[in-house]
Amino acid sequence: MSKYDVAVIGSGPGGYVAAIRCAQLGMKTAIIEKYNTLGGTCLNVGCIPSKALLDSSHHYEDAMKHFEEHGIDIPGEVKINFKKMIERKASVVEQTTKGIDFLMNKNKIDVFTGLGSFKDATHINIKGDTSQTIEATNTIIATGSKPATLPFITLDKERIITSTEALSLKEIPKHMIVIGGGVIGLELGQVYRRLGAEVSVIEYMDRIIPTMDTAQSKELMKAMKKQGVKFFLSHRVSEVSRKADQVTVLATDKKDKQVTFTGDYCLVCVGRQAFTEGLSLEKVGVKANERGQVDVNDHLQTNISNIYAIGDVVRGAMLAHKAEEEGVMVAEILAGQKPHIDYNLIPGVVYTWPEVASVGKTEAQLKESKTAYKAGQFPMRALGRSRASGDTDGFVKILSDATTDEILGAHMVGARCADLIAEMVVAMEFRASAEDIARMSHAHPTYAEAIKEAALGATANRALHI
Ligand code: FAD
Ligand code: NAD
C-alpha cells in the first residue's frame, strides 16, 4: 500500500494548490480526483469557461454595437458561430486543465483518478477503474461544491439547467429565464443577452448582487438594463415547469401578485452547496454543520486532528482564490508554520462588463458596526481613459476611517475593475490611509486614476477632476 504524508481529496483550486504547496515543503503528496480532468469546478465548469464565453460574447457585442462609433465598418454581416464559440471555450478549458497535469508532474505529486472515501482516519479508499487504498498521515478535504436548487424545482439539465449546462448549450436560447441575480446569473445572463437571447433575471431580494455594496448593485443593474437584460426584483419563485420546449416559471411579486414567465430555458443559480457525498465522513466522525459544510477551526482543521478541509466545502466565500489561500495555509500549518488569512481582504469580483469588484467593508457593514467613516467616490466617465475606450459606466468608491484615514473598503464598477481591485488589496494589506493612495502617482491615462481620485475624495474631499 502506498503511504503519503498528505492526501488531498479533490483537485479544484483549493486541492491542487494545497498539493503543490505540500510538495514544495517536502511532503510526499497524493491527490485524488473523481473526474478524468483535474482543476475542479473552477477550471472545468466555473471560472475559466464562463470567462471564455464572456470574452467571446464581448467581442461579438463590440462588433455589433461599438465598432461603428470607432469608425470601423464591417462590409458583410456579423454572424455568431455558436458551435465554434463553445468549442473554443472547451479548448481553453482543456489547455488549462492540462496545465494542472503538468504542475502535478513537475511537483512529483501522485494523481489518483477515482472517488475518494475514508476507510478510517489514515486510510482512503479510491474507487476508479480499479479500486485501491492509500495510507496518509494527514488528509485535506477539498471536495468543493455543487449547484444548489429550490425544493420544488426538478433540474432536467436540458431546459431547466444549472451553470454547468449553460456553459455547453447547443443553441442560443430565445428567452432565458434566470432565477437568481447573483454572480452566475449576471455573468451568464450577460453572455446570452449579448448573443441575442431575451434574458429575464428573477431575484428574491430587492437588489442584484445583494452581498455587495448597494451602489454597485444599482450601477450594474443600470448598465445591464441598457444592454437589454430585464430584472424582476423582490420576486419569489414558486413553480418551475416544462412542457416540450417551453419552460414556465411562476413567481409572486412584492405586492403578492402572481407573475408568469415563459421561455425556452431556465437557468437556476441560487447559490451553491458544499459537496461531501461519497466521502464517508461518518466513518471517521468528521462533523459537518446544518448547511452540509465540513466544520473547521481557525486552522481549517476538522474535529479529527489529522483531517483538514478547505475551499467551497467549508464556511466562507465560495471563490477560487479563497480556496487557494486556504490550500496554502493548511500546507504551511502541516509544515509547522503559522500562516494567517485575512478573510476581510479576499476580493470579490463579478466579470460582467462593466466589471464589479470589492474588498473590505461595505457602507452598510460600516454603518451596522457604527464605524465612523469617510467616503470618496469618483465616476469613470470623468476619466480621459474611459472616454477614449467608450467605457464610461461605473465608479470607484473608497471608504476610510473618519479618524485615522485607514482604508476600510473599496468598491468599484467599471472597465477592468477585476484587475484594479488588486491595488486596493495591497493598500489594505499594508494598512494604507486614503491619503497614502491619493499621494501616489498613477499613470495617465488609466482607469486606475479613478482610484487616486476616489482616495483624494475620501481623505479630504479634494478630488482634482470633478
Ligand atoms: P472545486 O473546484 O469544486 O473542486 C472540487 C473537486 O473535488 C472537484 O473536481 C470534484 O470532482 C472533486 N471531488 C469531490 N468529491 C470527491 C471525492 N469524494 N473523491 C474525489 N474527488 C472528489 N470563483 C472565482 O473566484 N472566480 C470566478 O470567476 C468564478 N467563476 C465561477 C463560475 C461558475 C459558473 C461557477 C459554478 C463557479 C465559479 N467560481 C468562481 C467559484 C469557484 O469555481 C469555486 O469557488 C472553486 O472552484 C472552489 O474550489 P474548491 O477547490 O474548493 O472546489
Ligand atoms: P449567489 O449567491 O452569487 O447568488 C444567488 C442569488 O440568488 C442571490 O442574489 C440570491 O438572493 C438569489 N436567490 C436565492 N434564492 C432565490 C429564490 N428562491 N428566488 C430568486 N432568487 C433567489 O450564487 P450563484 O450566482 O449561484 O453563484 C454560486 C457561487 O459561485 C457564489 O457563491 C459565487 O461566489 C461563486 N461564483 C463566483 C464567481 C466570481 O467570482 N466571479 C462567478 C460565478 C460564481
mmCIF file with all atom_site columns, all heavy atoms in Angstrom, residues 10 12 14 33-35 40-42 46-47 51 116 142-144 272 311-312 318-321, ligand 1:
data_model
loop_
_atom_site.group_PDB
_atom_site.id
_atom_site.type_symbol
_atom_site.label_atom_id
_atom_site.label_alt_id
_atom_site.label_comp_id
_atom_site.label_asym_id
_atom_site.label_entity_id
_atom_site.label_seq_id
_atom_site.pdbx_PDB_ins_code
_atom_site.Cartn_x
_atom_site.Cartn_y
_atom_site.Cartn_z
_atom_site.occupancy
_atom_site.B_iso_or_equiv
_atom_site.pdbx_formal_charge
_atom_site.auth_seq_id
_atom_site.auth_comp_id
_atom_site.auth_asym_id
_atom_site.auth_atom_id
_atom_site.pdbx_PDB_model_num
ATOM   1   N N   . GLY A 1 10  ? -9.863  15.887 -3.978  1.00 0.00 ? 10  GLY A N   1
ATOM   2   C CA  . GLY A 1 10  ? -10.446 16.964 -4.790  1.00 0.00 ? 10  GLY A CA  1
ATOM   3   C C   . GLY A 1 10  ? -9.340  17.798 -5.411  1.00 0.00 ? 10  GLY A C   1
ATOM   4   O O   . GLY A 1 10  ? -8.392  18.195 -4.730  1.00 0.00 ? 10  GLY A O   1
ATOM   5   N N   . GLY A 1 12  ? -9.720  20.787 -7.302  1.00 0.00 ? 12  GLY A N   1
ATOM   6   C CA  . GLY A 1 12  ? -10.054 22.164 -7.674  1.00 0.00 ? 12  GLY A CA  1
ATOM   7   C C   . GLY A 1 12  ? -8.928  23.097 -7.239  1.00 0.00 ? 12  GLY A C   1
ATOM   8   O O   . GLY A 1 12  ? -7.874  22.633 -6.782  1.00 0.00 ? 12  GLY A O   1
ATOM   9   N N   . GLY A 1 14  ? -8.542  24.772 -4.649  1.00 0.00 ? 14  GLY A N   1
ATOM   10  C CA  . GLY A 1 14  ? -8.137  24.519 -3.261  1.00 0.00 ? 14  GLY A CA  1
ATOM   11  C C   . GLY A 1 14  ? -7.216  23.321 -3.206  1.00 0.00 ? 14  GLY A C   1
ATOM   12  O O   . GLY A 1 14  ? -6.080  23.398 -2.711  1.00 0.00 ? 14  GLY A O   1
ATOM   13  N N   . GLU A 1 33  ? -8.889  12.593 -7.525  1.00 0.00 ? 33  GLU A N   1
ATOM   14  C CA  . GLU A 1 33  ? -9.947  13.322 -8.231  1.00 0.00 ? 33  GLU A CA  1
ATOM   15  C C   . GLU A 1 33  ? -10.866 12.317 -8.922  1.00 0.00 ? 33  GLU A C   1
ATOM   16  O O   . GLU A 1 33  ? -10.406 11.441 -9.635  1.00 0.00 ? 33  GLU A O   1
ATOM   17  C CB  . GLU A 1 33  ? -9.334  14.300 -9.250  1.00 0.00 ? 33  GLU A CB  1
ATOM   18  C CG  . GLU A 1 33  ? -10.317 14.948 -10.203 1.00 0.00 ? 33  GLU A CG  1
ATOM   19  C CD  . GLU A 1 33  ? -11.468 15.696 -9.515  1.00 0.00 ? 33  GLU A CD  1
ATOM   20  O OE1 . GLU A 1 33  ? -11.218 16.584 -8.700  1.00 0.00 ? 33  GLU A OE1 1
ATOM   21  O OE2 . GLU A 1 33  ? -12.644 15.355 -9.818  1.00 0.00 ? 33  GLU A OE2 1
ATOM   22  N N   . LYS A 1 34  ? -12.168 12.497 -8.696  1.00 0.00 ? 34  LYS A N   1
ATOM   23  C CA  . LYS A 1 34  ? -13.107 11.513 -9.266  1.00 0.00 ? 34  LYS A CA  1
ATOM   24  C C   . LYS A 1 34  ? -13.313 11.672 -10.772 1.00 0.00 ? 34  LYS A C   1
ATOM   25  O O   . LYS A 1 34  ? -13.681 10.730 -11.451 1.00 0.00 ? 34  LYS A O   1
ATOM   26  C CB  . LYS A 1 34  ? -14.442 11.562 -8.521  1.00 0.00 ? 34  LYS A CB  1
ATOM   27  C CG  . LYS A 1 34  ? -15.207 12.844 -8.683  1.00 0.00 ? 34  LYS A CG  1
ATOM   28  C CD  . LYS A 1 34  ? -16.540 12.793 -7.937  1.00 0.00 ? 34  LYS A CD  1
ATOM   29  C CE  . LYS A 1 34  ? -17.204 14.145 -8.025  1.00 0.00 ? 34  LYS A CE  1
ATOM   30  N NZ  . LYS A 1 34  ? -18.582 14.184 -7.743  1.00 0.00 ? 34  LYS A NZ  1
ATOM   31  N N   . TYR A 1 35  ? -13.088 12.895 -11.289 1.00 0.00 ? 35  TYR A N   1
ATOM   32  C CA  . TYR A 1 35  ? -13.227 13.090 -12.733 1.00 0.00 ? 35  TYR A CA  1
ATOM   33  C C   . TYR A 1 35  ? -11.900 12.846 -13.446 1.00 0.00 ? 35  TYR A C   1
ATOM   34  O O   . TYR A 1 35  ? -10.834 12.868 -12.831 1.00 0.00 ? 35  TYR A O   1
ATOM   35  C CB  . TYR A 1 35  ? -13.726 14.503 -13.042 1.00 0.00 ? 35  TYR A CB  1
ATOM   36  C CG  . TYR A 1 35  ? -15.174 14.726 -12.651 1.00 0.00 ? 35  TYR A CG  1
ATOM   37  C CD1 . TYR A 1 35  ? -15.545 15.824 -11.885 1.00 0.00 ? 35  TYR A CD1 1
ATOM   38  C CD2 . TYR A 1 35  ? -16.164 13.826 -13.035 1.00 0.00 ? 35  TYR A CD2 1
ATOM   39  C CE1 . TYR A 1 35  ? -16.876 16.026 -11.518 1.00 0.00 ? 35  TYR A CE1 1
ATOM   40  C CE2 . TYR A 1 35  ? -17.494 14.024 -12.673 1.00 0.00 ? 35  TYR A CE2 1
ATOM   41  C CZ  . TYR A 1 35  ? -17.838 15.120 -11.917 1.00 0.00 ? 35  TYR A CZ  1
ATOM   42  O OH  . TYR A 1 35  ? -19.149 15.304 -11.560 1.00 0.00 ? 35  TYR A OH  1
ATOM   43  N N   . GLY A 1 40  ? -11.136 20.823 -10.989 1.00 0.00 ? 40  GLY A N   1
ATOM   44  C CA  . GLY A 1 40  ? -12.391 21.045 -10.260 1.00 0.00 ? 40  GLY A CA  1
ATOM   45  C C   . GLY A 1 40  ? -13.390 21.912 -10.986 1.00 0.00 ? 40  GLY A C   1
ATOM   46  O O   . GLY A 1 40  ? -13.318 22.106 -12.211 1.00 0.00 ? 40  GLY A O   1
ATOM   47  N N   . THR A 1 41  ? -14.311 22.444 -10.215 1.00 0.00 ? 41  THR A N   1
ATOM   48  C CA  . THR A 1 41  ? -15.365 23.297 -10.756 1.00 0.00 ? 41  THR A CA  1
ATOM   49  C C   . THR A 1 41  ? -14.752 24.468 -11.512 1.00 0.00 ? 41  THR A C   1
ATOM   50  O O   . THR A 1 41  ? -15.143 24.790 -12.637 1.00 0.00 ? 41  THR A O   1
ATOM   51  C CB  . THR A 1 41  ? -16.231 23.852 -9.596  1.00 0.00 ? 41  THR A CB  1
ATOM   52  O OG1 . THR A 1 41  ? -16.729 22.754 -8.841  1.00 0.00 ? 41  THR A OG1 1
ATOM   53  C CG2 . THR A 1 41  ? -17.368 24.703 -10.112 1.00 0.00 ? 41  THR A CG2 1
ATOM   54  N N   . CYS A 1 42  ? -13.791 25.114 -10.876 1.00 0.00 ? 42  CYS A N   1
ATOM   55  C CA  . CYS A 1 42  ? -13.229 26.359 -11.416 1.00 0.00 ? 42  CYS A CA  1
ATOM   56  C C   . CYS A 1 42  ? -12.733 26.202 -12.851 1.00 0.00 ? 42  CYS A C   1
ATOM   57  O O   . CYS A 1 42  ? -13.119 26.953 -13.745 1.00 0.00 ? 42  CYS A O   1
ATOM   58  C CB  . CYS A 1 42  ? -12.094 26.804 -10.493 1.00 0.00 ? 42  CYS A CB  1
ATOM   59  S SG  . CYS A 1 42  ? -11.196 28.217 -11.106 1.00 0.00 ? 42  CYS A SG  1
ATOM   60  N N   . GLY A 1 46  ? -16.543 26.306 -14.285 1.00 0.00 ? 46  GLY A N   1
ATOM   61  C CA  . GLY A 1 46  ? -16.736 27.506 -13.462 1.00 0.00 ? 46  GLY A CA  1
ATOM   62  C C   . GLY A 1 46  ? -16.020 28.704 -14.045 1.00 0.00 ? 46  GLY A C   1
ATOM   63  O O   . GLY A 1 46  ? -16.330 29.177 -15.141 1.00 0.00 ? 46  GLY A O   1
ATOM   64  N N   . CYS A 1 47  ? -15.024 29.175 -13.280 1.00 0.00 ? 47  CYS A N   1
ATOM   65  C CA  . CYS A 1 47  ? -14.336 30.431 -13.598 1.00 0.00 ? 47  CYS A CA  1
ATOM   66  C C   . CYS A 1 47  ? -13.862 30.493 -15.051 1.00 0.00 ? 47  CYS A C   1
ATOM   67  O O   . CYS A 1 47  ? -14.143 31.472 -15.761 1.00 0.00 ? 47  CYS A O   1
ATOM   68  C CB  . CYS A 1 47  ? -13.096 30.613 -12.714 1.00 0.00 ? 47  CYS A CB  1
ATOM   69  S SG  . CYS A 1 47  ? -13.239 29.989 -11.048 1.00 0.00 ? 47  CYS A SG  1
ATOM   70  N N   . LYS A 1 51  ? -15.503 32.704 -18.163 1.00 0.00 ? 51  LYS A N   1
ATOM   71  C CA  . LYS A 1 51  ? -14.774 33.882 -18.649 1.00 0.00 ? 51  LYS A CA  1
ATOM   72  C C   . LYS A 1 51  ? -14.500 33.770 -20.151 1.00 0.00 ? 51  LYS A C   1
ATOM   73  O O   . LYS A 1 51  ? -14.506 34.769 -20.876 1.00 0.00 ? 51  LYS A O   1
ATOM   74  C CB  . LYS A 1 51  ? -13.465 34.069 -17.872 1.00 0.00 ? 51  LYS A CB  1
ATOM   75  C CG  . LYS A 1 51  ? -13.606 34.992 -16.675 1.00 0.00 ? 51  LYS A CG  1
ATOM   76  C CD  . LYS A 1 51  ? -14.245 34.367 -15.465 1.00 0.00 ? 51  LYS A CD  1
ATOM   77  C CE  . LYS A 1 51  ? -15.629 34.713 -15.147 1.00 0.00 ? 51  LYS A CE  1
ATOM   78  N NZ  . LYS A 1 51  ? -16.167 34.031 -13.948 1.00 0.00 ? 51  LYS A NZ  1
ATOM   79  N N   . GLY A 1 116 ? -12.705 9.285  -3.841  1.00 0.00 ? 116 GLY A N   1
ATOM   80  C CA  . GLY A 1 116 ? -12.006 9.055  -2.574  1.00 0.00 ? 116 GLY A CA  1
ATOM   81  C C   . GLY A 1 116 ? -13.005 8.968  -1.432  1.00 0.00 ? 116 GLY A C   1
ATOM   82  O O   . GLY A 1 116 ? -13.927 9.775  -1.355  1.00 0.00 ? 116 GLY A O   1
ATOM   83  N N   . ALA A 1 142 ? -10.981 18.651 -0.031  1.00 0.00 ? 142 ALA A N   1
ATOM   84  C CA  . ALA A 1 142 ? -11.151 19.825 -0.909  1.00 0.00 ? 142 ALA A CA  1
ATOM   85  C C   . ALA A 1 142 ? -12.162 19.452 -1.989  1.00 0.00 ? 142 ALA A C   1
ATOM   86  O O   . ALA A 1 142 ? -11.901 19.593 -3.185  1.00 0.00 ? 142 ALA A O   1
ATOM   87  C CB  . ALA A 1 142 ? -9.805  20.215 -1.518  1.00 0.00 ? 142 ALA A CB  1
ATOM   88  N N   . THR A 1 143 ? -13.317 18.950 -1.539  1.00 0.00 ? 143 THR A N   1
ATOM   89  C CA  . THR A 1 143 ? -14.291 18.369 -2.473  1.00 0.00 ? 143 THR A CA  1
ATOM   90  C C   . THR A 1 143 ? -15.282 19.389 -3.034  1.00 0.00 ? 143 THR A C   1
ATOM   91  O O   . THR A 1 143 ? -16.185 19.025 -3.798  1.00 0.00 ? 143 THR A O   1
ATOM   92  C CB  . THR A 1 143 ? -15.043 17.212 -1.802  1.00 0.00 ? 143 THR A CB  1
ATOM   93  O OG1 . THR A 1 143 ? -15.501 17.660 -0.514  1.00 0.00 ? 143 THR A OG1 1
ATOM   94  C CG2 . THR A 1 143 ? -14.136 16.001 -1.598  1.00 0.00 ? 143 THR A CG2 1
ATOM   95  N N   . GLY A 1 144 ? -15.135 20.654 -2.657  1.00 0.00 ? 144 GLY A N   1
ATOM   96  C CA  . GLY A 1 144 ? -15.846 21.716 -3.349  1.00 0.00 ? 144 GLY A CA  1
ATOM   97  C C   . GLY A 1 144 ? -17.343 21.780 -3.112  1.00 0.00 ? 144 GLY A C   1
ATOM   98  O O   . GLY A 1 144 ? -17.842 21.483 -2.023  1.00 0.00 ? 144 GLY A O   1
ATOM   99  N N   . ARG A 1 272 ? -24.600 27.851 -4.260  1.00 0.00 ? 272 ARG A N   1
ATOM   100 C CA  . ARG A 1 272 ? -24.026 26.505 -4.359  1.00 0.00 ? 272 ARG A CA  1
ATOM   101 C C   . ARG A 1 272 ? -23.946 25.901 -2.964  1.00 0.00 ? 272 ARG A C   1
ATOM   102 O O   . ARG A 1 272 ? -23.941 26.622 -1.980  1.00 0.00 ? 272 ARG A O   1
ATOM   103 C CB  . ARG A 1 272 ? -22.622 26.573 -5.003  1.00 0.00 ? 272 ARG A CB  1
ATOM   104 C CG  . ARG A 1 272 ? -22.697 26.978 -6.476  1.00 0.00 ? 272 ARG A CG  1
ATOM   105 C CD  . ARG A 1 272 ? -21.315 27.097 -7.099  1.00 0.00 ? 272 ARG A CD  1
ATOM   106 N NE  . ARG A 1 272 ? -20.567 25.868 -7.113  1.00 0.00 ? 272 ARG A NE  1
ATOM   107 C CZ  . ARG A 1 272 ? -20.655 24.929 -8.078  1.00 0.00 ? 272 ARG A CZ  1
ATOM   108 N NH1 . ARG A 1 272 ? -21.479 25.111 -9.106  1.00 0.00 ? 272 ARG A NH1 1
ATOM   109 N NH2 . ARG A 1 272 ? -19.924 23.846 -8.024  1.00 0.00 ? 272 ARG A NH2 1
ATOM   110 N N   . GLY A 1 311 ? -11.692 25.441 1.071   1.00 0.00 ? 311 GLY A N   1
ATOM   111 C CA  . GLY A 1 311 ? -12.423 25.816 -0.147  1.00 0.00 ? 311 GLY A CA  1
ATOM   112 C C   . GLY A 1 311 ? -13.928 25.839 0.030   1.00 0.00 ? 311 GLY A C   1
ATOM   113 O O   . GLY A 1 311 ? -14.453 26.104 1.109   1.00 0.00 ? 311 GLY A O   1
ATOM   114 N N   . ASP A 1 312 ? -14.630 25.542 -1.052  1.00 0.00 ? 312 ASP A N   1
ATOM   115 C CA  . ASP A 1 312 ? -16.096 25.643 -1.058  1.00 0.00 ? 312 ASP A CA  1
ATOM   116 C C   . ASP A 1 312 ? -16.762 24.702 -0.055  1.00 0.00 ? 312 ASP A C   1
ATOM   117 O O   . ASP A 1 312 ? -17.916 24.908 0.309   1.00 0.00 ? 312 ASP A O   1
ATOM   118 C CB  . ASP A 1 312 ? -16.644 25.295 -2.456  1.00 0.00 ? 312 ASP A CB  1
ATOM   119 C CG  . ASP A 1 312 ? -16.538 26.452 -3.439  1.00 0.00 ? 312 ASP A CG  1
ATOM   120 O OD1 . ASP A 1 312 ? -15.858 27.444 -3.129  1.00 0.00 ? 312 ASP A OD1 1
ATOM   121 O OD2 . ASP A 1 312 ? -17.151 26.356 -4.524  1.00 0.00 ? 312 ASP A OD2 1
ATOM   122 N N   . MET A 1 318 ? -17.430 31.417 -1.573  1.00 0.00 ? 318 MET A N   1
ATOM   123 C CA  . MET A 1 318 ? -17.120 30.320 -2.497  1.00 0.00 ? 318 MET A CA  1
ATOM   124 C C   . MET A 1 318 ? -16.363 30.898 -3.680  1.00 0.00 ? 318 MET A C   1
ATOM   125 O O   . MET A 1 318 ? -16.943 31.185 -4.736  1.00 0.00 ? 318 MET A O   1
ATOM   126 C CB  . MET A 1 318 ? -18.406 29.635 -2.931  1.00 0.00 ? 318 MET A CB  1
ATOM   127 C CG  . MET A 1 318 ? -19.029 28.827 -1.810  1.00 0.00 ? 318 MET A CG  1
ATOM   128 S SD  . MET A 1 318 ? -20.456 27.939 -2.391  1.00 0.00 ? 318 MET A SD  1
ATOM   129 C CE  . MET A 1 318 ? -20.639 26.704 -1.111  1.00 0.00 ? 318 MET A CE  1
ATOM   130 N N   . LEU A 1 319 ? -15.069 31.098 -3.484  1.00 0.00 ? 319 LEU A N   1
ATOM   131 C CA  . LEU A 1 319 ? -14.240 31.719 -4.512  1.00 0.00 ? 319 LEU A CA  1
ATOM   132 C C   . LEU A 1 319 ? -12.964 30.915 -4.696  1.00 0.00 ? 319 LEU A C   1
ATOM   133 O O   . LEU A 1 319 ? -12.396 30.401 -3.719  1.00 0.00 ? 319 LEU A O   1
ATOM   134 C CB  . LEU A 1 319 ? -13.872 33.151 -4.109  1.00 0.00 ? 319 LEU A CB  1
ATOM   135 C CG  . LEU A 1 319 ? -15.043 34.125 -3.976  1.00 0.00 ? 319 LEU A CG  1
ATOM   136 C CD1 . LEU A 1 319 ? -14.577 35.454 -3.405  1.00 0.00 ? 319 LEU A CD1 1
ATOM   137 C CD2 . LEU A 1 319 ? -15.714 34.337 -5.333  1.00 0.00 ? 319 LEU A CD2 1
ATOM   138 N N   . ALA A 1 320 ? -12.504 30.858 -5.937  1.00 0.00 ? 320 ALA A N   1
ATOM   139 C CA  . ALA A 1 320 ? -11.310 30.073 -6.244  1.00 0.00 ? 320 ALA A CA  1
ATOM   140 C C   . ALA A 1 320 ? -10.096 30.585 -5.468  1.00 0.00 ? 320 ALA A C   1
ATOM   141 O O   . ALA A 1 320 ? -9.323  29.793 -4.918  1.00 0.00 ? 320 ALA A O   1
ATOM   142 C CB  . ALA A 1 320 ? -11.053 30.130 -7.745  1.00 0.00 ? 320 ALA A CB  1
ATOM   143 N N   . HIS A 1 321 ? -9.929  31.918 -5.417  1.00 0.00 ? 321 HIS A N   1
ATOM   144 C CA  . HIS A 1 321 ? -8.726  32.441 -4.758  1.00 0.00 ? 321 HIS A CA  1
ATOM   145 C C   . HIS A 1 321 ? -8.781  32.276 -3.243  1.00 0.00 ? 321 HIS A C   1
ATOM   146 O O   . HIS A 1 321 ? -7.749  32.181 -2.593  1.00 0.00 ? 321 HIS A O   1
ATOM   147 C CB  . HIS A 1 321 ? -8.456  33.901 -5.166  1.00 0.00 ? 321 HIS A CB  1
ATOM   148 C CG  . HIS A 1 321 ? -9.658  34.773 -5.203  1.00 0.00 ? 321 HIS A CG  1
ATOM   149 N ND1 . HIS A 1 321 ? -10.614 34.694 -6.194  1.00 0.00 ? 321 HIS A ND1 1
ATOM   150 C CD2 . HIS A 1 321 ? -10.090 35.731 -4.369  1.00 0.00 ? 321 HIS A CD2 1
ATOM   151 C CE1 . HIS A 1 321 ? -11.562 35.581 -5.968  1.00 0.00 ? 321 HIS A CE1 1
ATOM   152 N NE2 . HIS A 1 321 ? -11.271 36.218 -4.847  1.00 0.00 ? 321 HIS A NE2 1
HETATM 153 P P1  . FAD B 2 .   ? -13.932 22.586 -6.613  1.00 0.00 ? 1   FAD B P1  1
HETATM 154 O O1  . FAD B 2 .   ? -13.322 23.452 -7.630  1.00 0.00 ? 1   FAD B O1  1
HETATM 155 O O2  . FAD B 2 .   ? -15.405 22.400 -6.640  1.00 0.00 ? 1   FAD B O2  1
HETATM 156 O O3  . FAD B 2 .   ? -13.223 21.165 -6.752  1.00 0.00 ? 1   FAD B O3  1
HETATM 157 C C1  . FAD B 2 .   ? -13.625 20.071 -6.012  1.00 0.00 ? 1   FAD B C1  1
HETATM 158 C C2  . FAD B 2 .   ? -13.169 18.820 -6.745  1.00 0.00 ? 1   FAD B C2  1
HETATM 159 O O4  . FAD B 2 .   ? -13.329 17.715 -5.876  1.00 0.00 ? 1   FAD B O4  1
HETATM 160 C C3  . FAD B 2 .   ? -13.998 18.507 -7.984  1.00 0.00 ? 1   FAD B C3  1
HETATM 161 O O5  . FAD B 2 .   ? -13.136 18.313 -9.081  1.00 0.00 ? 1   FAD B O5  1
HETATM 162 C C4  . FAD B 2 .   ? -14.712 17.218 -7.632  1.00 0.00 ? 1   FAD B C4  1
HETATM 163 O O6  . FAD B 2 .   ? -14.891 16.345 -8.739  1.00 0.00 ? 1   FAD B O6  1
HETATM 164 C C5  . FAD B 2 .   ? -13.757 16.603 -6.635  1.00 0.00 ? 1   FAD B C5  1
HETATM 165 N N1  . FAD B 2 .   ? -14.355 15.649 -5.706  1.00 0.00 ? 1   FAD B N1  1
HETATM 166 C C6  . FAD B 2 .   ? -15.470 15.829 -4.944  1.00 0.00 ? 1   FAD B C6  1
HETATM 167 N N2  . FAD B 2 .   ? -15.678 14.754 -4.159  1.00 0.00 ? 1   FAD B N2  1
HETATM 168 C C7  . FAD B 2 .   ? -14.676 13.893 -4.434  1.00 0.00 ? 1   FAD B C7  1
HETATM 169 C C8  . FAD B 2 .   ? -14.324 12.620 -3.922  1.00 0.00 ? 1   FAD B C8  1
HETATM 170 N N3  . FAD B 2 .   ? -15.018 12.031 -2.953  1.00 0.00 ? 1   FAD B N3  1
HETATM 171 N N4  . FAD B 2 .   ? -13.240 12.000 -4.441  1.00 0.00 ? 1   FAD B N4  1
HETATM 172 C C9  . FAD B 2 .   ? -12.506 12.587 -5.416  1.00 0.00 ? 1   FAD B C9  1
HETATM 173 N N5  . FAD B 2 .   ? -12.769 13.803 -5.908  1.00 0.00 ? 1   FAD B N5  1
HETATM 174 C C10 . FAD B 2 .   ? -13.836 14.440 -5.417  1.00 0.00 ? 1   FAD B C10 1
HETATM 175 N N6  . FAD B 2 .   ? -14.702 31.721 -8.380  1.00 0.00 ? 1   FAD B N6  1
HETATM 176 C C11 . FAD B 2 .   ? -13.849 32.746 -8.562  1.00 0.00 ? 1   FAD B C11 1
HETATM 177 O O7  . FAD B 2 .   ? -13.046 33.043 -7.660  1.00 0.00 ? 1   FAD B O7  1
HETATM 178 N N7  . FAD B 2 .   ? -13.838 33.464 -9.723  1.00 0.00 ? 1   FAD B N7  1
HETATM 179 C C12 . FAD B 2 .   ? -14.693 33.194 -10.732 1.00 0.00 ? 1   FAD B C12 1
HETATM 180 O O8  . FAD B 2 .   ? -14.660 33.855 -11.768 1.00 0.00 ? 1   FAD B O8  1
HETATM 181 C C13 . FAD B 2 .   ? -15.608 32.125 -10.568 1.00 0.00 ? 1   FAD B C13 1
HETATM 182 N N8  . FAD B 2 .   ? -16.467 31.827 -11.551 1.00 0.00 ? 1   FAD B N8  1
HETATM 183 C C14 . FAD B 2 .   ? -17.324 30.758 -11.377 1.00 0.00 ? 1   FAD B C14 1
HETATM 184 C C15 . FAD B 2 .   ? -18.228 30.481 -12.393 1.00 0.00 ? 1   FAD B C15 1
HETATM 185 C C16 . FAD B 2 .   ? -19.118 29.430 -12.254 1.00 0.00 ? 1   FAD B C16 1
HETATM 186 C C17 . FAD B 2 .   ? -20.082 29.124 -13.369 1.00 0.00 ? 1   FAD B C17 1
HETATM 187 C C18 . FAD B 2 .   ? -19.084 28.635 -11.075 1.00 0.00 ? 1   FAD B C18 1
HETATM 188 C C19 . FAD B 2 .   ? -20.014 27.457 -10.922 1.00 0.00 ? 1   FAD B C19 1
HETATM 189 C C20 . FAD B 2 .   ? -18.195 28.912 -10.057 1.00 0.00 ? 1   FAD B C20 1
HETATM 190 C C21 . FAD B 2 .   ? -17.313 29.988 -10.195 1.00 0.00 ? 1   FAD B C21 1
HETATM 191 N N9  . FAD B 2 .   ? -16.425 30.335 -9.191  1.00 0.00 ? 1   FAD B N9  1
HETATM 192 C C22 . FAD B 2 .   ? -15.573 31.394 -9.355  1.00 0.00 ? 1   FAD B C22 1
HETATM 193 C C23 . FAD B 2 .   ? -16.353 29.586 -7.932  1.00 0.00 ? 1   FAD B C23 1
HETATM 194 C C24 . FAD B 2 .   ? -15.169 28.601 -7.963  1.00 0.00 ? 1   FAD B C24 1
HETATM 195 O O9  . FAD B 2 .   ? -15.317 27.741 -9.069  1.00 0.00 ? 1   FAD B O9  1
HETATM 196 C C25 . FAD B 2 .   ? -15.113 27.800 -6.676  1.00 0.00 ? 1   FAD B C25 1
HETATM 197 O O10 . FAD B 2 .   ? -15.091 28.681 -5.566  1.00 0.00 ? 1   FAD B O10 1
HETATM 198 C C26 . FAD B 2 .   ? -13.867 26.938 -6.646  1.00 0.00 ? 1   FAD B C26 1
HETATM 199 O O11 . FAD B 2 .   ? -13.844 26.045 -7.719  1.00 0.00 ? 1   FAD B O11 1
HETATM 200 C C27 . FAD B 2 .   ? -13.783 26.158 -5.333  1.00 0.00 ? 1   FAD B C27 1
HETATM 201 O O12 . FAD B 2 .   ? -12.638 25.383 -5.339  1.00 0.00 ? 1   FAD B O12 1
HETATM 202 P P2  . FAD B 2 .   ? -12.530 24.046 -4.491  1.00 0.00 ? 1   FAD B P2  1
HETATM 203 O O13 . FAD B 2 .   ? -11.143 23.547 -4.718  1.00 0.00 ? 1   FAD B O13 1
HETATM 204 O O14 . FAD B 2 .   ? -12.977 24.268 -3.116  1.00 0.00 ? 1   FAD B O14 1
HETATM 205 O O15 . FAD B 2 .   ? -13.596 23.038 -5.129  1.00 0.00 ? 1   FAD B O15 1
#
